[in-house]
Amino acid sequence: MSNVLEALKWRYATKQFDTEKKLSADQVATLKEALRLSPSSFGLQPWRFVFVENVELRTKLRAAGYDQPQFTDASHLVVLATEKNIDAALIKKYVQSIADAKNIAVENLAGFSGMLNGAIGAKGEEGARDWAARQAYIALGVLLTTAALEGIDAAPMEGFDPKAADEILNLTERGLESRVAVGLGFRSESDQAATAPKIRYNEADMFITL
Ligand SMILES: Cc1cc2nc3c(=O)[nH]c(=O)nc-3n(C[C@H](O)[C@H](O)[C@H](O)COP(=O)(O)O)c2cc1C
């Protein structure tokens, strides 16, 4: 079996972290780089990844998150947030970054820029925000898979009040909204969820071949 399937079987949504075990700087760097390399529609990267180190903030997030201990007990906590306004300014910044990376004049990308403004504009404000949220979940998938391959435990969490989290983390001021949080670290030996069977439909129920 490939390493990746071994890793996906090994991983589980961790409920209890070992509070004594911390991620190394190298491990954090790997997880951050995996997030940075995540693909997104049009390549627009409408996200910011908020690493919450402050203990007080993590305690407040836990209160806004049904008292889930992963908010405070994981070695690291990251909140995947998305831009509220997917607007011309955001697109301009992105198109400029392409011009810089390719060492070409931004004017050469006028067609692409126009297409992008049209495609995003057609979604409407709410549609664009939903679209941004979907991009955050791609990054979530990349993060969870990378963590598993690196032997790092992870707890994806949607179970929190996003508006409260936005207040706690001052995200609104930054034009951001929280989507999903992930606790990262190492499982506690007493976490019974580690040995629970994986609940997944079988192939026949999941795949359609036409
Ligand atoms: C987007 C997302 C949000 C989740 N939110 C929570 C959560 O708030 N609390 C929790 O205990 N588990 C949460 N989970 C864990 C899922 O329940 C778990 O991944 C699923 O039951 C499959 O089990 P496994 O990940 O252990 O294989 C979440 C998972 C995902 C992907």
Side-chain angles (χ1 to χ4, degrees):
M1 191 186 303
S2 71
N3 287 345
V4 71
L5 292 186
E6 288 288 357
L8 292 177
K9 286 182 179 173
W10 172 84
R11 68 148 295 282
Y12 71 106
T14 304
K15 307 295 178 202
Q16 284 176 26
F17 283 91
D18 184 334
T19 52
E20 301 298 315
K21 290 191 185 158
K22 304 292 176 199
L23 295 176
S24 69
D26 274 358
Q27 287 171 318
V28 175
T30 298
L31 296 171
K32 283 186 170 170
E33 187 64 350
L35 283 168
R36 203 181 67 82
L37 292 171
S38 296
S40 57
S41 177
F42 300 117
L44 207 55
Q45 308 153 70
W47 51 44
R48 295 296 287 270
F49 306 118
V50 185
F51 278 76
V52 188
E53 295 183 354
N54 182 293
V55 174
E56 202 180 316
L57 293 179
R58 286 179 62 169
T59 304
K60 286 183 181 169
L61 285 176
R62 176 170 170 166
Y66 304 98
D67 198 31
Q68 297 192 75
Q70 302 96 309
F71 279 103
T72 50
D73 295 356
S75 167
H76 284 64
L77 182 79
V78 59
V79 175
L80 280 60
T82 53
E83 300 282 352
K84 272 186 147 165
N85 298 311
I86 313 296
D87 55 13
L90 197 84
I91 292 171
K92 191 171 176 211
K93 175 183 160 203
Y94 174 51
V95 173
Q96 185 63 55
S97 77
I98 300 174
D100 293 345
K102 294 190 171 176
N103 205 13
I104 56 176
V106 75
E107 291 74 30
N108 292 348
L109 296 166
F112 178 66
S113 174
M115 182 278 289
L116 216 47
N117 275 296
I120 298 288
K123 294 181 191 299
E125 206 176 299
E126 277 307 302
R129 280 170 66 183
D130 284 348
W131 167 85
R134 291 197 290 277
Q135 310 316 309
Y137 282 83
I138 297 171
L140 172 68
V142 171
L143 177 64
L144 294 180
T145 306
T146 304
L149 284 165
E150 293 291 314
I152 296 166
D153 284 303
M157 291 179 287
E158 265 182 339
F160 64 92
D161 175 351
K163 288 208 161 47
D166 294 350
E167 286 287 310
I168 293 163
L169 302 174
N170 267 329
L171 294 185
T172 311
E173 251 173 45
R174 294 176 186 263
L176 298 168
E177 52 192 337
S178 55
R179 297 300 189 177
V180 60
V182 186
L184 295 154
F186 300 99
R187 63 190 71 176
S188 156
E189 277 178 17
S190 56
D191 190 356
Q192 299 193 345
T195 49
K198 277 246 172 279
I199 314 299
R200 297 292 191 275
Y201 295 126
N202 61 30
E203 271 193 51
D205 288 329
M206 201 175 286
F207 299 103
I208 297 171
T209 306
L210 300 173

